[in-house]
Amino acid sequence: GLLTAACLLTFAVCALEIGLRIDRYQSALSNQPSLAAAELSLQDQLVAPSLDIWLELYPNAKATLKNPDTDQPVAFRTNSFGARGPEVAVPKPRGQLRVLCLGDETTVAPELAESDAYPTVLQELLSAHMGAKVEVINAGVPGSCPRIAALQLRHRLMSLQPDLVILHFDMSDVAEDAAVRRFVSLDREGHPTLATHPATRKVCQLRRPRL
């Protein structure tokens, strides 16, 4: 009886391990959060270390998060630029006024519905005020700071041809800037050119499509 119980326990642990490995493998192939991460925060599910901009949101990803105050599910999606919301037209349509919002979790607002985040509210207000459709893009990244925002523009977002860039800043960015500063490469004018996260090697290994 003891031997049978030990064998069953071993079999259960092995089955659980295989299931988690398959879940992680499928997650790496699809760029979607794994089932095992369903109760994790946005930063734990969809924010990845980056080779050039320190941190980024997975592109073309979908997740269901939870509002910490109401426990209600919140649908979260990113487009091919890793920005929250629908896909963005490139090149920018003729006559389109485009506003780009950068910042941290205050901007991306993972605990709120997409329609309640301030970039969407700003889009509605500007469109009503100007009498024409204004496009406001939510490109916030949890854990971001002005240096990371500058790298986002340089490496990812200038192709969107924004007419106006809004950067959210608060005092939490001071600590985040201090953490990333020593990893940032600068050009001769002192502008940030690159920030490679030290965890990128491990992340690349995890995302490699192999079992």
Side-chain angles (χ1 to χ4, degrees), residues 6-20:
C7 290
L8 288 174
L9 179 61
T10 303
F11 175 79
V13 171
C14 291
L16 178 62
E17 175 68 17
I18 291 172
L20 291 173

Side-chain angles (χ1 to χ4, degrees), residues 135-173:
E135 184 180 31
V136 180
I137 301 171
N138 185 345
V141 176
S144 181
C145 65
R147 286 181 197 265
I148 297 174
L151 292 170
Q152 278 183 276
L153 279 174
R154 181 185 184 99
H155 291 280
R156 302 281 194 278
L157 302 178
M158 284 306 294
S159 62
L160 297 177
Q161 301 172 284
D163 299 290
L164 176 68
V165 177
I166 298 175
L167 173 65
H168 172 269
F169 176 85
D170 59 37
M171 292 311 295
S172 68
D173 294 333

Side-chain angles (χ1 to χ4, degrees), residues 11-35:
F11 175 79
V13 171
C14 291
L16 178 62
E17 175 68 17
I18 291 172
L20 291 173
R21 285 177 179 267
I22 292 175
D23 181 35
R24 188 173 67 176
Y25 173 70
Q26 293 175 336
S27 171
L29 288 181
S30 62
N31 257 0
Q32 304 300 319
S34 66
L35 296 175

Side-chain angles (χ1 to χ4, degrees), residues 99-156:
V99 180
L100 181 63
C101 294
L102 301 174
D104 56 13
E105 52 275 3
T106 303
T107 298
V108 73
E111 73 283 358
L112 298 178
E114 192 174 296
S115 59
D116 294 331
Y118 91 75
T120 305
V121 176
L122 179 62
Q123 175 174 286
E124 295 172 353
L125 292 173
L126 289 177
S127 297
H129 177 74
M130 301 186 68
K133 177 77 186 278
V134 176
E135 184 180 31
V136 180
I137 301 171
N138 185 345
V141 176
S144 181
C145 65
R147 286 181 197 265
I148 297 174
L151 292 170
Q152 278 183 276
L153 279 174
R154 181 185 184 99
H155 291 280
R156 302 281 194 278

Side-chain angles (χ1 to χ4, degrees), residues 173-210:
D173 294 333
V174 176
E176 288 156 354
D177 180 83
V180 69
R181 186 182 307 165
R182 64 191 180 97
F183 297 97
V184 176
S185 299
L186 305 175
D187 60 17
R188 293 181 179 179
E189 286 74 35
H191 301 141
T193 60
L194 192 73
T196 300
H197 198 288
T200 48
R201 181 179 301 177
K202 181 179 180 181
V203 171
C204 288
Q205 292 173 348
L206 291 178
R207 294 181 62 191
R208 189 175 302 160
R210 64 175 185 177

Side-chain angles (χ1 to χ4, degrees), residues 55-84:
L55 289 174
E56 59 186 331
L57 285 172
Y58 284 125
N60 294 324
K62 293 181 180 179
T64 300
L65 307 173
K66 186 179 290 186
N67 185 305
D69 298 322
T70 65
D71 284 336
Q72 294 299 310
V74 176
F76 190 93
R77 60 173 175 168
T78 61
N79 56 34
S80 62
F81 290 88
R84 185 178 187 183

